[in-house]
Every structure is written in structure tokens, then in C-alpha cells.
Amino acid sequence: MKASRIAATGALAGTAVLALSVPAFAHVSVQPEGTAAKGGYAVVDFKVPNERDNASTTKLEVTFPTDHPLASAMPEPMAGWDVKVTKSELDKPLEMHGEKITQAVSKITWTATGDGIKPGFFQKFPVSVGQLPEDADELVFKAIQTYSNKEVVRWIEVPQKGQDEPENPAPVLALSAAEDGHHGASSSDQASDSDDAEAASAKTAAAEPADSSDTTARVLGVVGIVVGALGVAYGVLAGRRRTDA
């Protein structure tokens, strides 16, 4: 009886470790470098992990929101990638700094000229965007990730509040409250934003190793399985010894 309890405890411990250590699958996401305040400008990073062991990510297409169009979107030059900015005519012109804007960025496409994002790595794709809307709390950017083996993953499902995260969630940029000096940006604000964009363009984003937390989680998961298996094996052997006796 005691051996059976030990075996059950070992199996339960292994299962618990495995359940706690297995991370949610990484997906394409978007985060600001600093803050993304309503009515202001920001540099945002589209983070793209490579989730395949036998293929590289060679293309990223990001569709910009049409319900809150952005008149300005300037991607940072990146070694090893060609970038194309697509603009579309607006049904309703935007008013920005006293001028009417009839076009807005509808999509940005990055295409690898080399190896792309190799397995076990991720890449950040920075874009300077603005003017951010004042009447929205978030912006949804649908993304399509293409691998070297022609596989296409569509990150286009819009997360809903109160519901579980969808299998292929679209990147969502949360907007913070308007900051002083950014509400209705002045010419001095524009100059500052331009300087920030130039400073950001001066660096080249290189592929970086995948988050160490993912590796740690996988190791813990393996340890959990081993612990559970040893516990079960011990219980079986102990039971057999008691029977033989």
C-alpha cells in the first residue's frame, strides 16, 4: 500500500511539473518601445518567433487597421530584409496638423533576402507609427507568417474579452492615456518624433536567440516526465516484490 502511494505521488508530481512548465505557443505580437499614447507617435516592435524546427521564417505581412487608419508608418531598415509599404485610399480623409490626408498605410511586408529567422530564434521588426487615434484603447494588426517550406500561418483571430485566447491571435497594441504634449501633436512634437525615428533607424535588428524561459520550461517538462515515470516504475517493482514474498 505504501509503495502504491509513493508511485501515485511520483506520477502526480511529474504531471504537475509538466503542466506548469509547458508554455503557451509563442505567436507574432506587437509592443511599443516605451509607451504608445493616444494622440501621439510611437515606435512599435512586431516580434516574430520561429516555431518550426525544420524551416526558417522568410516573410512577414502586417495589415494595418482600417477602422483607425494611420497616416504615418515608417519601418526601420533591416539588414537581410526587403521591406514594402503599401498605402490605400481612405473612404474618409483624415485631418492631421491642419491638412487632409487621403491615404494611409494598409500593409507592410518584410521579405528575407537571406536565411530569414532560423529555428530557435526570433526577430523584431520596428515601425514608427502615428498619429495614434484618441478614441480607441487598442489597435489590431493582423499578420501572416511564411516559412521557407511554404507553410503559411495566419495570425488574424481577434482576441475577445472574457474569452480564451484564440489559437492564432492577431497582434494587439494597447494604447495608454494621452500624455501632455502628445494630445494634438505640435510641430515641436513632430520634430522630436522625427528625431526618435531617425535614432531608431540607425540600429539594425538582428535575429536573437529565443527566450531562455522557453528552454527552461522544456527542460522542466522533461524532468517532470522522468520523475513521474520513475515513481510509477518504483511502485510496480515494489508491488511485485510484495507479491513474490
Side-chain angles (χ1 to χ4, degrees), residues 3-15 227-228 231:
S4 299
R5 289 179 180 176
I6 293 175
T9 302
L12 181 60
T15 303
V227 171

Side-chain angles (χ1 to χ4, degrees), residues 5-219:
R5 289 179 180 176
I6 293 175
T9 302
L12 181 60
T15 303
V17 171
L18 178 61
L20 292 173
S21 62
V22 174
F25 287 110
H27 50 76
V28 176
S29 59
V30 60
Q31 291 292 334
E33 293 184 6
T35 60
K38 298 178 181 180
Y41 290 77
V43 174
V44 299
D45 294 329
F46 292 95
K47 182 181 178 181
V48 183
N50 192 319
E51 296 182 301
R52 301 296 179 264
D53 296 328
N54 58 352
S56 298
T57 295
T58 56
K59 188 177 182 180
L60 174 68
E61 300 171 75
V62 175
T63 299
F64 279 59
T66 56
D67 53 344
H68 294 287
L70 300 175
S72 175
M74 298 183 294
E76 178 181 326
M78 297 177 60
W81 295 85
D82 279 337
V83 59
K84 178 182 178 182
V85 179
T86 302
K87 290 187 176 183
S88 299
E89 294 290 333
L90 295 173
D91 295 332
K92 183 180 179 180
L94 295 174
E95 189 78 23
M96 186 174 293
H97 309 305
E99 297 182 3
K100 284 188 176 182
I101 307 297
T102 59
Q103 289 186 330
V105 174
S106 57
K107 183 169 68 174
I108 297 182
T109 303
W110 290 267
T111 304
T113 57
D115 295 332
I117 309 173
K118 296 181 180 181
F121 289 79
F122 73 89
Q123 185 106 36
K124 290 182 180 180
F125 297 82
V127 182
S128 176
V129 297
Q131 185 174 351
L132 297 173
E134 300 178 4
D135 57 349
D137 294 323
E138 62 184 26
L139 294 177
V140 178
F141 298 85
K142 297 183 178 181
I144 298 177
Q145 182 179 11
T146 303
Y147 287 91
S148 56
N149 60 1
K150 308 303 180 183
E151 179 186 1
V152 176
V153 182
R154 302 177 182 277
W155 305 100
I156 61 174
E157 300 177 61
V158 181
Q160 302 296 329
K161 292 183 178 179
Q163 298 183 13
D164 293 338
E165 184 178 71
E167 184 177 354
N168 295 307
V172 178
L173 176 67
L175 303 181
S176 59
E179 299 177 352
D180 294 338
H182 283 281
H183 188 87
S186 64
S187 58
S188 60
D189 294 328
Q190 296 178 52
S192 176
D193 292 325
S194 177
D195 292 341
D196 291 342
E198 290 179 4
S201 298
K203 64 179 181 179
T204 300
E208 301 178 38
D211 294 343
S212 59
S213 59
D214 291 342
T215 301
T216 303
R218 291 171 184 167
V219 172

